[in-house]
Amino acid sequence: MLPRSLYVHVPFCVRRCAYCDFAVEAMRDAPTADWLRAIAKEWDLTAREMGWAGPLSLDTVYVGGGTPSLLDAGAMSALAETVRRHATWHPASVEWTCEANPESFSAEIARDWKAAGINRISLGAQSFDERVLRWMGRLHGAEGPGRAVATAREAGFDNVSIDLIFGVPGRLERDWEADLERTLALAPEHVSLYGLTAEIATPLGRWVRDGRETLADEDRYADEYLLAHRRLTDAGYEHYEVSNFGLPGRRSRHNFAYWTGVPYAALGPGSHAYYPPVRRWNARGWHEYEEALRDSRSPVDGEERISVEDAALERVWLALRTDLGFPVAEATPVQLDLARLWEGAGWAQTAEDRVRLTAEGWLLLDRLALDFAAAGEARHELTGFASRPAPD
Ligand code: SF4
């Protein structure tokens, strides 16, 4: 099976946000020409290595970062030309998403992206609260997301997603409900939520380690998540995946490639590709990545072969993280017993021949997926699950 989705990573940001663990380099001016050259080289190397007999047929392209809106005007049409060396897509049916940050998403960039064929914008808003934005190290102010959405609309984009971060430290006294209301007032087609975590290599990770910062506790984290679920679903959004909400017909098609276990191609530093059964990833550093390609070497830094056991666990985890759920017809009797216990706890519902997690269940996704996968292999009745404590 050939990839029908492509991810392209832009590893440049003006500065690194306090919580960010992504593959990015801080710089004011993104080296657009160098980036395009490196991506083109990697694409050629990949096509040769994979032995694709003809051009791939792509359904989705996702340009993420980093900050793609830092690249010069013209970058996306040049990228499209490069990708077309080994792939085709139908302009009317492809979903081509590009991430943007409010401070660099100018009217010029918006028009340029529209002309290049991009038809979906994913906007890194994170919050509408000045204090929270400053604490995060974001470059835009409270009015930034609204201006950026207006810019996107004026350029003709009718598919805009807004990213929000919840679970920030309680001492910031962030009004999460107000942020949700301001998001809804902008009428985006899609909303993505990210629960704040403190990765060890980030400034936030160091603050937490040194006792200078405390993340939201589990109660606050769960309350904010469930409030977002209620508020957004009341407003007509479908909570279709643990972190994602879309108006009907506006789900992210690209992300479904990740969640359904099909192959996807990827380019750029730190990007991950999946050519079943192998998942592989590139060098994270921009300079290391670019140097490899300048020397015509592969930038791939590692790979793992997904075993049959891991594939089974992943399949469960992926099925449970979306509202597609797990097919009842494929569940073992022990898994069905477990699903009934989850229903009693409010963590799952079984309907239309699928076991689906509820928002309360998604708060426990990793634990529940492990248990469900284990139950798929169990040959005897499970006894331990009934005593599982409710989320606290
Ligand atoms: S803008 Fe995004 S990618 Fe860039 S540093 Fe901030 S969180 Fe990371």
Side-chain angles (χ1 to χ4, degrees):
M1 192 176 180
L2 294 171
R4 297 186 69 90
S5 292
L6 170 68
Y7 175 79
V8 188
H9 190 70
V10 179
F12 314 115
C13 287
V14 171
R15 73 168 180 231
R16 188 178 279 274
C17 300
Y19 55 85
C20 180
D21 188 33
F22 299 145
V24 292
E25 295 281 333
M27 53 180 84
R28 183 149 290 280
D29 297 309
T32 303
D34 292 345
W35 178 79
L36 283 166
R37 217 175 357 258
I39 293 290
K41 196 73 176 276
E42 188 189 358
W43 194 222
D44 289 346
L45 283 178
T46 305
R48 201 173 322 138
E49 182 194 348
M50 293 293 151
W52 294 326
L56 299 180
S57 176
L58 293 179
D59 294 329
T60 70
V61 179
Y62 193 106
V63 182
T67 311
S69 47
L70 264 192
L71 294 172
D72 297 340
M76 290 303 131
S77 43
L79 175 67
E81 223 170 276
T82 290
V83 174
R84 285 200 179 97
R85 291 184 197 173
H86 308 293
T88 58
W89 60 78
H90 200 288
S93 60
V94 72
E95 177 191 89
W96 183 2
T97 305
C98 203
E99 290 183 353
N101 277 351
E103 70 282 355
S104 49
F105 189 57
S106 63
E108 183 197 8
I109 289 291
R111 284 194 298 269
D112 180 66
W113 286 8
K114 183 76 183 157
I118 289 165
N119 51 25
R120 185 170 181 273
I121 302 294
S122 175
L123 192 66
Q126 318 311 0
S127 178
F128 294 79
D129 180 314
E130 291 287 354
R131 188 155 174 242
V132 171
L133 289 167
R134 267 200 309 278
W135 176 84
M136 287 177 173
R138 304 292 299 184
L139 292 167
H140 64 271
E143 303 307 320
R147 262 200 311 272
V149 171
T151 300
R153 299 300 190 206
E154 278 158 26
F157 289 101
D158 66 358
N159 201 356
V160 175
S161 180
I162 288 185
D163 288 356
L164 293 174
I165 290 180
F166 69 100
V168 303
R171 70 172 184 83
L172 294 171
E173 295 179 351
R174 187 251 197 104
D175 185 342
W176 174 235
E177 189 162 13
D179 269 2
L180 291 170
E181 294 309 325
R182 291 201 55 183
T183 302
L184 288 171
L186 297 177
E189 282 70 28
H190 189 276
V191 178
S192 295
L193 298 185
Y194 297 94
L196 188 68
T197 54
E199 303 300 332
I200 195 68
T202 64
L204 176 59
R206 289 191 289 279
W207 301 341
V208 170
R209 183 197 61 198
D210 298 344
R212 286 184 286 144
E213 192 56 274
T214 310
L215 292 184
D217 60 26
E218 281 183 29
D219 284 348
R220 189 184 176 96
Y221 188 97
D223 287 350
E224 291 190 358
Y225 180 77
L226 295 175
L227 178 64
H229 166 78
R230 282 194 302 276
R231 193 61 199 91
L232 291 169
T233 53
D234 282 353
Y237 291 81
E238 296 167 342
H239 193 174
Y240 68 94
E241 192 264 350
V242 60
S243 303
N244 286 284
F245 301 75
L247 290 178
R250 299 309 186 116
R251 297 175 174 214
S252 163
R253 281 163 44 205
H254 183 81
N255 286 350
F256 260 95
Y258 301 150
W259 302 325
T260 47
V262 297
Y264 48 85
L267 302 170
S271 64
H272 285 56
Y274 184 43
Y275 304 112
V278 174
R279 182 168 295 121
R280 67 186 209 176
W281 50 90
N282 282 347
R284 275 174 65 90
W286 158 243
H287 297 291
E288 191 185 347
Y289 168 84
E290 195 213 5
E291 201 176 294
L293 288 158
R294 234 185 298 125
D295 297 345
S296 299
R297 286 184 284 112
S298 166
V300 172
D301 191 40
E303 64 173 45
E304 63 177 336
R305 185 167 286 270
I306 308 299
S307 66
V308 174
E309 296 76 33
D310 286 348
L313 173 59
E314 264 189 25
R315 185 167 168 268
V316 168
W317 188 72
L318 292 171
L320 291 179
R321 70 177 295 148
T322 72
D323 68 356
L324 292 179
F326 193 90
V328 167
E330 294 175 31
T332 64
V334 184
Q335 283 176 316
L336 293 177
D337 282 349
L338 184 55
R340 273 188 285 277
L341 288 170
W342 289 352
E343 281 188 46
W347 301 336
Q349 286 169 346
T350 303
E352 295 158 352
D353 297 330
R354 300 263 169 175
V355 177
R356 295 185 180 87
L357 294 190
T358 59
E360 286 80 1
W362 275 331
L363 280 166
L364 303 168
L365 173 65
D366 290 348
R367 279 166 49 189
L368 299 190
L370 272 174
D371 289 349
F372 203 73
E377 293 163 7
R379 296 186 208 298
H380 52 270
E381 287 299 308
L382 295 166
T383 54
F385 294 103
S387 59
R388 177 181 301 287
D392 51 19

